Amino acid sequence: MDNYTAISILVALGALLSYINLRFIRLPGTIGIVVLASVITILSLVLGSLSASFAALLRDLTERIDFSRTLLEIMLGFLLFAAALQVDFNDLKAQFKPVLVMGTVGVILSTVLFAFGFLFLTRALSIDMPLIFCFMFGALISPTDPVAVGAVLRQSPIPHRLETIITGESLINDGVGLVLFVSLQEVADPNVDFRFSDALLLFAREVIGGISLGLAMGYVAYRLIKATDDFQTVVLLSLALVMVLSVFTTAVHASVPLAEVAAGLLLGTRLSGSKDQNSPKAYLNRFWHLIDEMLNTILFVMIGLQIIVLPVLSDYLLIGLLSIPLMVLARGLSIALPFLLQFRREQQTPGSLRILTWAGLRGGISIALALSLPDSDYKEVILASCYCLVLFSIVGQGLTLGRLVTSVAQPRQAKA
């Protein structure tokens, strides 16, 4: 199977699953696609003797497309730019403190808490997992996924203020988590003499460099886009921005996610204000909303299909299931202190801490990072556990977030 055929099958499968879900299953779009893709994959494995050719086709399709590279190096820039373009900068600015603290300190705290919890879990199950690998697992699973978060929040009755905090946090902590994961990988590599000063230099280059490049190139694109009202030109300029920024940022070893977020925020903010349907901002909103929905569909199909290349999932299913409460607990504790320090004097939405904890969804980025780990027995444990956590997060948390929001709002309404 060549690459074009694989992509064609993937797109066709995404369209078919989306149609089946819309007509018959009626789950929220992305959740339904993940569920259907996972069910198809599991059935093809269970009934492999009856549908060997279909199982082989799915395996060939999944192995043909490098999930980790495709997401991290190609799709992520488009998805983050599209998400940042839709964010209201004034709303984000009003919630800047909690967003910044939860997106940085919260990720580090969650990484530490999850790492030690997972170390205890592996020891209890007689799995010899080094602490540094537990920390790497914590770093890749702690950041909330902006793609999964955005897909679910659009269909949840969540208060606007909390939605802004969760969205902003997911855009920031993604880049922070990637830097932390890369640093821990270098610490774990016996061939690399890694020092604390190296970590600080890496952080400065990735974070400061990524944001600076995103703002600089985003401003150049803004000036060019502002000078025209032609739909085709506006769209091509935005596409060029995302693609050139990704290539250039990678070349200088800065953070692509943070660069794309910075560029999207700047462009969306600078072009905001006009309600004209023929304005550059309206053009960008329509085009990038379509790109966002299409890539989301393909990404969640890919997530559902990943189970077919996880032959060790059944071997580590127990530790994967036990990691679920650990992930939720680490998330809750890691945001509790920043949350209480920031909000203790402010009027709060009932159950804000519970909503923020449960809305911290994980997605394809965590799986992509787990797949990028060097081959070892530890990678199998992490990868299988990571898939369980992501599947629970997207399906379990995604389906129940709306109910949680409604349930915590009811006592207040009754009291009023």
Side-chain angles (χ1 to χ4, degrees):
M1 183 188 300
D2 56 56
N3 289 334
Y4 183 78
T5 302
I7 294 173
S8 299
I9 294 174
L10 191 62
V11 172
L13 189 58
L16 178 62
L17 295 183
S18 182
Y19 177 80
I20 293 173
N21 179 59
L22 182 65
R23 283 285 280 119
F24 305 108
I25 311 299
R26 300 184 185 277
L27 288 173
T30 51
I31 298 174
I33 289 170
V34 171
V35 170
L36 287 173
S38 300
V39 169
I40 288 174
T41 306
I42 292 171
L43 288 176
S44 71
L45 292 173
V46 173
L47 305 175
S49 58
L50 300 177
S51 56
S53 58
F54 182 67
L57 175 65
L58 289 183
R59 180 176 294 278
D60 190 20
L61 172 64
T62 308
E63 292 177 344
R64 171 66 60 177
I65 299 176
D66 187 333
F67 181 86
S68 181
R69 182 178 178 276
T70 300
L71 175 56
L72 295 178
E73 298 182 16
I74 301 175
M75 297 176 68
L76 187 58
F78 290 90
L79 289 165
L80 290 178
F81 179 83
L85 193 66
Q86 306 300 321
V87 173
D88 188 314
F89 183 75
N90 291 324
D91 288 344
L92 186 61
K93 185 178 178 181
Q95 308 300 331
F96 181 72
K97 274 189 180 180
V99 167
L100 181 63
V101 173
M102 289 169 60
T104 54
V105 177
V107 173
I108 296 172
L109 283 175
S110 177
T111 297
V112 173
L113 292 170
F114 185 90
F116 282 107
F118 194 72
L119 179 69
F120 173 79
L121 210 56
T122 53
R123 293 291 186 271
L125 296 175
S126 302
I127 300 174
D128 186 20
M129 175 73 72
L131 180 59
I132 187 61
F133 276 86
C134 295
F135 268 97
M136 282 194 286
F137 191 11
L140 68 87
I141 204 65
S142 290
T144 56
D145 190 306
V147 181
V149 167
V152 171
L153 287 186
R154 284 194 291 268
Q155 301 167 4
S156 298
I158 196 164
H160 181 68
R161 185 185 185 202
L162 293 183
E163 181 180 359
T164 301
I165 293 174
I166 296 164
T167 301
E169 177 207 3
S170 68
L171 291 174
I172 293 176
N173 68 17
D174 188 51
V176 173
L178 282 170
V179 173
L180 186 58
F181 177 77
V182 171
S183 300
L184 290 169
Q185 267 195 313
E186 295 194 11
V187 171
D189 190 343
N191 300 317
V192 177
D193 182 19
F194 191 77
R195 294 165 293 186
F196 183 70
S197 58
D198 296 328
L200 292 178
L201 182 62
L202 175 67
F203 181 83
R205 185 178 70 239
E206 291 271 349
V207 176
I208 299 176
I211 294 175
S212 300
L213 284 171
L215 292 176
M217 296 183 70
Y219 183 76
V220 172
Y222 158 71
R223 298 299 301 181
L224 295 174
I225 289 173
K226 189 180 179 183
T228 181
D229 59 359
D230 178 66
F231 177 81
Q232 178 177 326
T233 304
V234 169
V235 167
L236 285 175
L237 284 170
S238 67
L239 274 174
L241 169 64
V242 173
M243 298 174 78
V244 172
L245 182 58
S246 179
V247 171
F248 190 71
T249 307
T250 301
V252 298
H253 303 289
S255 173
V256 174
L258 291 177
E260 300 289 4
V261 167
L265 283 174
L266 184 142
L267 201 58
T269 302
R270 289 277 184 168
L271 293 174
S272 63
S274 175
K275 296 182 179 180
D276 184 1
Q277 292 301 306
N278 293 317
S279 66
K281 181 62 185 295
Y283 292 156
L284 290 177
N285 284 341
R286 290 201 297 269
F287 175 77
W288 284 101
H289 178 73
L290 176 62
I291 292 294
D292 187 39
E293 292 295 330
M294 289 173 59
L295 290 182
N296 262 314
T297 298
I298 294 172
L299 172 60
F300 284 99
V301 170
M302 292 169 65
I303 291 174
L305 294 179
Q306 284 302 302
I307 195 171
I308 204 166
V309 293
L310 295 176
V312 296
L313 183 59
S314 58
D315 298 336
Y316 300 109
L317 185 59
L318 177 60
I319 192 171
L321 294 176
L322 292 176
S323 298
I324 292 173
L326 176 60
M327 176 187 70
V328 177
L329 180 63
R331 164 74 178 175
L333 293 176
S334 68
I335 64 173
L337 182 59
F339 177 85
L340 293 175
L341 288 176
Q342 175 62 28
F343 296 151
R344 60 183 177 180
R345 294 188 180 94
E346 301 177 16
Q347 182 67 32
Q348 290 304 307
T349 302
S352 294
L353 185 56
R354 278 183 286 168
I355 294 172
L356 289 171
T357 299
W358 201 246
L361 274 68
R362 279 64 167 187
I365 296 174
S366 295
I367 296 176
L369 292 176
L371 286 167
S372 72
L373 289 168
D375 291 334
S376 67
D377 292 338
Y378 312 128
K379 178 180 179 177
E380 294 183 349
V381 181
I382 292 174
L383 186 55
S385 300
C386 180
Y387 191 85
C388 288
L389 294 177
V390 168
L391 202 60
F392 168 79
S393 187
I394 294 174
V395 180
Q397 292 176 258
L399 284 177
T400 56
L401 178 60
R403 296 178 187 176
L404 173 64
V405 174
T406 303
S407 67
V408 297
Q410 283 176 346
R412 186 182 186 186
Q413 294 171 351
K415 187 176 181 181

